[in-house]
Amino acid sequence: MAVVGVLALQGSFNEHIAALRRLGVKGVEIRKPEQLLTVNSLIIPGGESTTMAKLAEAFNLFPALREFVQMGKPVWGTCAGLIFLANEATGQKTGGQELVGGLDCTVHRNFFGSQIQSFETELLVPELVSKEGGPETFRGVFIRAPGILNVGPDVQVLADYPVPSDQVLSSDSSVEGKKENAEEANKVIVAVRQGNILATAFHPELTADTRWHSYFLKMGSLVEKEASSSIVPEQVTQVSTSFKQPLQHDLPIFQ
Protein backbone atom coordinates (compact mmCIF):
# COMPACT_ATOMS: atom_id res chain seq x y z
CA MET A 1 0.00 0.00 0.00
CA ALA A 2 1.26 3.49 -0.90
CA VAL A 3 1.99 5.77 2.06
CA VAL A 4 1.59 9.56 1.98
CA GLY A 5 2.70 11.93 4.71
CA VAL A 6 0.23 14.57 5.91
CA LEU A 7 1.61 17.46 7.95
CA ALA A 8 -0.40 17.20 11.17
CA LEU A 9 0.41 20.32 13.14
CA GLN A 10 -3.08 21.83 12.90
CA GLY A 11 -5.96 22.04 10.45
CA SER A 12 -7.69 19.50 8.21
CA PHE A 13 -5.10 16.70 8.21
CA ASN A 14 -7.63 14.08 9.33
CA GLU A 15 -9.86 14.88 6.34
CA HIS A 16 -6.95 14.38 3.95
CA ILE A 17 -6.09 11.05 5.56
CA ALA A 18 -9.71 9.95 5.20
CA ALA A 19 -9.74 10.91 1.50
CA LEU A 20 -6.53 8.95 0.91
CA ARG A 21 -8.01 5.95 2.69
CA ARG A 22 -10.96 5.94 0.27
CA LEU A 23 -8.42 5.55 -2.53
CA GLY A 24 -6.72 2.64 -0.78
CA VAL A 25 -3.74 4.73 0.31
CA LYS A 26 -2.39 5.08 3.83
CA GLY A 27 -1.86 8.60 5.15
CA VAL A 28 0.52 9.07 8.07
CA GLU A 29 0.69 12.08 10.36
CA ILE A 30 3.94 14.06 10.17
CA ARG A 31 5.00 16.25 13.10
CA LYS A 32 8.77 15.77 13.33
CA PRO A 33 11.57 16.27 10.77
CA GLU A 34 12.75 12.68 10.97
CA GLN A 35 9.27 11.42 10.04
CA LEU A 36 9.69 12.97 6.59
CA LEU A 37 12.34 10.35 5.90
CA THR A 38 9.66 7.66 5.99
CA VAL A 39 7.45 9.07 3.18
CA ASN A 40 7.95 9.92 -0.48
CA SER A 41 5.17 12.49 -0.83
CA LEU A 42 3.57 15.05 1.46
CA ILE A 43 0.31 16.97 1.85
CA ILE A 44 0.34 20.27 3.73
CA PRO A 45 -3.30 20.82 4.72
CA GLY A 46 -5.44 23.87 5.28
CA GLY A 47 -5.48 25.41 8.72
CA GLU A 48 -4.51 28.64 10.47
CA SER A 49 -1.34 29.45 8.56
CA THR A 50 0.30 31.61 11.23
CA THR A 51 -0.29 28.98 13.91
CA MET A 52 0.99 26.24 11.61
CA ALA A 53 4.13 28.29 10.89
CA LYS A 54 4.81 28.84 14.60
CA LEU A 55 4.42 25.13 15.32
CA ALA A 56 6.62 24.19 12.37
CA GLU A 57 9.28 26.54 13.69
CA ALA A 58 8.96 25.12 17.20
CA PHE A 59 9.47 21.57 15.85
CA ASN A 60 12.33 22.74 13.61
CA LEU A 61 10.44 21.48 10.56
CA PHE A 62 11.22 24.22 8.06
CA PRO A 63 14.71 23.01 7.02
CA ALA A 64 13.42 19.45 6.52
CA LEU A 65 10.34 20.65 4.62
CA ARG A 66 12.46 22.79 2.29
CA GLU A 67 14.81 19.88 1.66
CA PHE A 68 11.83 17.61 0.93
CA VAL A 69 10.55 20.05 -1.71
CA GLN A 70 14.00 20.61 -3.22
CA MET A 71 14.53 16.86 -3.59
CA GLY A 72 11.66 16.81 -6.08
CA LYS A 73 9.30 14.72 -3.98
CA PRO A 74 5.58 15.40 -4.62
CA VAL A 75 4.13 18.01 -2.27
CA TRP A 76 0.55 19.33 -2.27
CA GLY A 77 -0.54 22.37 -0.31
CA THR A 78 -4.23 23.17 0.23
CA CYS A 79 -5.28 26.65 1.41
CA ALA A 80 -2.79 27.40 4.22
CA GLY A 81 -0.54 24.76 2.64
CA LEU A 82 -0.52 26.85 -0.54
CA ILE A 83 0.71 29.81 1.49
CA PHE A 84 3.47 27.66 2.99
CA LEU A 85 4.71 26.63 -0.46
CA ALA A 86 4.63 30.07 -2.11
CA ASN A 87 7.89 31.92 -2.62
CA GLU A 88 6.16 35.15 -1.60
CA ALA A 89 3.06 35.95 0.46
CA THR A 90 1.29 39.25 1.02
CA GLY A 91 -1.47 40.27 3.42
CA GLN A 92 0.20 38.53 6.35
CA LYS A 93 -0.20 39.43 9.99
CA THR A 94 2.23 41.84 11.61
CA GLY A 95 5.68 40.29 11.61
CA GLY A 96 4.81 37.93 8.76
CA GLN A 97 5.44 34.20 8.85
CA GLU A 98 8.13 31.84 7.66
CA LEU A 99 7.51 30.05 4.37
CA VAL A 100 8.74 26.77 2.92
CA GLY A 101 8.82 28.16 -0.61
CA GLY A 102 9.56 26.35 -3.84
CA LEU A 103 6.44 27.43 -5.73
CA ASP A 104 7.17 30.38 -8.02
CA CYS A 105 4.17 32.54 -7.21
CA THR A 106 2.90 35.38 -5.06
CA VAL A 107 -0.10 34.52 -2.91
CA HIS A 108 -2.40 36.81 -0.96
CA ARG A 109 -3.09 35.27 2.41
CA ASN A 110 -6.78 36.27 2.78
CA PHE A 111 -7.67 37.24 -0.77
CA PHE A 112 -11.32 36.17 -0.40
CA GLY A 113 -11.91 37.88 2.93
CA SER A 114 -12.83 36.75 6.41
CA GLN A 115 -14.34 33.54 7.77
CA ILE A 116 -17.92 34.70 7.17
CA GLN A 117 -17.09 35.26 3.49
CA SER A 118 -16.31 31.57 3.01
CA PHE A 119 -18.14 30.13 0.01
CA GLU A 120 -18.43 27.29 -2.48
CA THR A 121 -18.51 27.36 -6.25
CA GLU A 122 -18.07 25.14 -9.29
CA LEU A 123 -14.62 25.49 -10.84
CA LEU A 124 -13.69 24.54 -14.39
CA VAL A 125 -10.80 22.05 -14.14
CA PRO A 126 -9.88 20.86 -17.65
CA GLU A 127 -6.48 19.44 -16.67
CA LEU A 128 -8.00 17.46 -13.81
CA VAL A 129 -10.76 16.12 -16.05
CA SER A 130 -8.27 15.12 -18.75
CA LYS A 131 -6.34 13.02 -16.23
CA GLU A 132 -9.08 11.82 -13.88
CA GLY A 133 -12.31 12.01 -15.86
CA GLY A 134 -15.58 12.84 -14.14
CA PRO A 135 -17.60 16.08 -14.30
CA GLU A 136 -16.19 19.13 -16.07
CA THR A 137 -16.29 21.11 -12.83
CA PHE A 138 -15.06 20.59 -9.27
CA ARG A 139 -16.86 21.92 -6.20
CA GLY A 140 -14.39 24.33 -4.63
CA VAL A 141 -14.79 24.94 -0.89
CA PHE A 142 -13.14 28.27 -0.04
CA ILE A 143 -12.68 28.97 3.68
CA ARG A 144 -11.01 32.29 4.41
CA ALA A 145 -9.08 31.42 1.32
CA PRO A 146 -5.91 32.77 -0.25
CA GLY A 147 -5.58 33.71 -3.91
CA ILE A 148 -2.61 33.44 -6.25
CA LEU A 149 -1.82 36.87 -7.66
CA ASN A 150 0.87 35.93 -10.17
CA VAL A 151 2.94 32.92 -11.21
CA GLY A 152 6.30 32.28 -12.83
CA PRO A 153 6.80 30.90 -16.35
CA ASP A 154 7.18 27.30 -15.17
CA VAL A 155 3.91 27.24 -13.24
CA GLN A 156 0.87 25.60 -14.86
CA VAL A 157 -2.47 27.19 -13.97
CA LEU A 158 -5.03 24.46 -13.27
CA ALA A 159 -8.01 26.58 -12.17
CA ASP A 160 -9.01 30.19 -11.72
CA TYR A 161 -12.01 32.05 -10.37
CA PRO A 162 -13.71 35.20 -11.76
CA VAL A 163 -13.47 38.23 -9.50
CA PRO A 164 -16.59 40.46 -9.52
CA SER A 165 -15.72 44.11 -10.11
CA ASP A 166 -17.53 45.13 -6.92
CA GLN A 167 -15.89 42.52 -4.69
CA VAL A 168 -14.50 44.03 -1.50
CA LEU A 169 -11.45 42.15 -0.34
CA SER A 170 -10.03 44.18 2.52
CA SER A 171 -9.69 47.65 3.91
CA ASP A 172 -5.91 47.24 3.94
CA SER A 173 -4.37 49.53 1.32
CA SER A 174 -1.81 46.97 0.15
CA VAL A 175 -4.62 44.50 -0.40
CA GLU A 176 -6.57 47.02 -2.44
CA GLY A 177 -3.61 47.37 -4.78
CA LYS A 178 -3.63 43.62 -5.33
CA LYS A 179 -7.39 43.74 -5.78
CA GLU A 180 -7.01 46.18 -8.65
CA ASN A 181 -4.54 43.85 -10.37
CA ALA A 182 -6.94 40.95 -9.97
CA GLU A 183 -9.84 42.96 -11.37
CA GLU A 184 -7.87 43.90 -14.47
CA ALA A 185 -7.54 40.23 -15.29
CA ASN A 186 -11.09 39.62 -13.97
CA LYS A 187 -9.96 36.40 -12.34
CA VAL A 188 -7.68 35.04 -9.64
CA ILE A 189 -5.69 31.80 -9.84
CA VAL A 190 -6.79 29.13 -7.35
CA ALA A 191 -4.94 25.97 -8.42
CA VAL A 192 -1.46 25.45 -9.90
CA ARG A 193 1.23 22.90 -10.51
CA GLN A 194 4.98 23.39 -10.83
CA GLY A 195 6.86 20.16 -11.35
CA ASN A 196 6.56 18.20 -8.12
CA ILE A 197 4.45 20.87 -6.39
CA LEU A 198 0.64 21.00 -6.48
CA ALA A 199 -1.29 23.79 -4.75
CA THR A 200 -4.99 24.62 -4.34
CA ALA A 201 -6.56 27.61 -2.60
CA PHE A 202 -9.65 25.54 -1.82
CA HIS A 203 -10.29 22.35 0.20
CA PRO A 204 -10.81 19.18 -1.88
CA GLU A 205 -10.56 17.15 1.33
CA LEU A 206 -13.88 18.62 2.50
CA THR A 207 -15.78 17.12 -0.44
CA ALA A 208 -16.62 13.59 -1.56
CA ASP A 209 -14.76 14.06 -4.85
CA THR A 210 -11.25 12.59 -4.55
CA ARG A 211 -10.01 13.46 -8.03
CA TRP A 212 -7.45 15.95 -6.74
CA HIS A 213 -6.08 13.34 -4.35
CA SER A 214 -5.88 10.81 -7.17
CA TYR A 215 -4.16 13.39 -9.41
CA PHE A 216 -1.61 14.09 -6.68
CA LEU A 217 -0.90 10.42 -6.08
CA LYS A 218 -0.15 9.90 -9.74
CA MET A 219 2.37 12.74 -9.66
CA GLY A 220 4.56 10.37 -7.70
CA SER A 221 3.43 7.17 -9.45
CA LEU A 222 2.00 6.03 -6.13
CA VAL A 223 -1.09 4.32 -7.46
CA GLU A 224 -1.87 2.07 -10.39
CA LYS A 225 -3.61 3.50 -13.43
CA GLU A 226 -6.85 1.72 -12.62
CA ALA A 227 -7.05 3.55 -9.29
CA SER A 228 -8.27 6.68 -11.07
CA SER A 229 -11.86 6.10 -9.95
CA SER A 230 -12.50 9.18 -7.90
CA ILE A 231 -16.13 10.12 -7.33
CA VAL A 232 -17.63 8.94 -4.08
CA PRO A 233 -21.43 9.37 -4.07
CA GLU A 234 -21.82 9.73 -0.33
CA GLN A 235 -21.11 13.22 0.94
CA VAL A 236 -18.34 13.52 3.48
CA THR A 237 -19.42 16.92 4.70
CA GLN A 238 -22.64 18.79 4.20
CA VAL A 239 -22.06 22.04 2.41
CA SER A 240 -24.24 24.94 1.37
CA THR A 241 -25.39 25.05 -2.25
CA SER A 242 -25.70 28.84 -2.23
CA PHE A 243 -23.25 30.46 -4.61
CA LYS A 244 -20.82 32.88 -2.98
CA GLN A 245 -22.64 32.76 0.34
CA PRO A 246 -21.23 32.06 3.82
CA LEU A 247 -21.51 28.40 4.73
CA GLN A 248 -24.29 27.68 7.18
CA HIS A 249 -22.69 24.85 9.12
CA ASP A 250 -19.80 25.02 11.54
CA LEU A 251 -16.44 25.24 9.80
CA PRO A 252 -12.90 25.07 11.09
CA ILE A 253 -11.42 28.54 11.42
CA PHE A 254 -8.72 28.57 8.78
CA GLN A 255 -5.91 30.92 7.82
Side-chain angles (χ1 to χ4, degrees):
M1 177 185 288
V3 178
V4 176
V6 182
L7 192 65
L9 301 176
Q10 188 262 349
S12 58
F13 57 90
N14 280 324
E15 288 80 358
H16 274 293
I17 291 172
L20 292 170
R21 187 182 303 118
R22 299 201 302 277
L23 290 173
V25 175
K26 181 179 180 181
V28 296
E29 298 178 8
I30 302 294
R31 294 187 177 88
K32 298 178 181 179
E34 58 268 27
Q35 292 175 320
L36 287 170
L37 300 174
T38 67
V39 298
N40 290 317
S41 62
L42 179 70
I43 296 174
I44 304 177
E48 207 291 316
S49 61
T50 304
T51 299
M52 288 172 62
K54 289 179 178 179
L55 289 169
E57 184 176 4
F59 287 107
N60 195 32
L61 271 164
F62 277 107
L65 288 170
R66 293 191 185 104
E67 181 179 6
F68 195 94
V69 173
Q70 292 166 5
M71 290 176 66
K73 295 183 177 182
V75 181
W76 176 19
T78 62
C79 201
L82 158 61
I83 299 171
F84 260 49
L85 292 172
N87 283 347
E88 182 180 355
T90 64
Q92 299 188 66
K93 294 180 179 179
T94 303
Q97 69 182 62
E98 194 169 355
L99 302 174
V100 174
L103 179 59
D104 187 10
C105 73
T106 300
V107 61
H108 191 283
R109 183 176 177 274
N110 286 137
F111 185 91
F112 289 103
S114 66
Q115 182 82 2
I116 62 171
Q117 292 170 299
S118 300
F119 68 99
E120 299 168 38
T121 188
E122 297 294 332
L123 298 169
L124 289 172
V125 286
E127 169 67 10
L128 185 69
V129 173
S130 71
K131 297 294 192 297
E132 300 298 321
E136 293 183 356
T137 61
F138 186 92
R139 189 72 176 174
V141 179
F142 291 80
I143 304 176
R144 202 177 176 187
I148 301 171
L149 304 175
N150 55 67
V151 298
D154 296 327
V155 178
Q156 179 184 11
V157 175
L158 303 179
D160 53 40
Y161 176 75
V163 180
S165 59
D166 61 348
Q167 181 178 353
V168 178
L169 301 182
S170 171
S171 60
D172 182 89
S173 58
S174 64
V175 177
E176 290 299 322
K178 300 300 184 183
K179 174 189 171 184
E180 290 174 4
N181 291 338
E183 287 177 350
E184 288 177 6
N186 205 36
K187 61 186 178 181
V188 63
I189 300 166
V190 295
V192 295
R193 178 178 177 180
Q194 181 184 350
N196 62 303
I197 301 174
L198 177 66
T200 56
F202 48 93
H203 291 269
E205 76 280 8
L206 298 183
T207 76
D209 188 339
T210 56
R211 283 181 293 169
W212 282 107
H213 288 80
S214 180
Y215 180 88
F216 174 65
L217 292 171
K218 290 173 185 174
M219 284 172 56
S221 300
L222 296 176
V223 292
E224 298 295 332
K225 186 175 182 180
E226 59 266 21
S228 62
S229 176
S230 308
I231 310 301
V232 178
E234 183 179 358
Q235 288 290 332
V236 176
T237 56
Q238 292 183 345
V239 289
S240 167
T241 57
S242 299
F243 175 74
K244 200 67 174 74
Q245 295 296 322
L247 304 182
Q248 300 302 312
H249 56 85
D250 292 335
L251 288 171
I253 299 177
F254 285 171
Q255 302 294 54

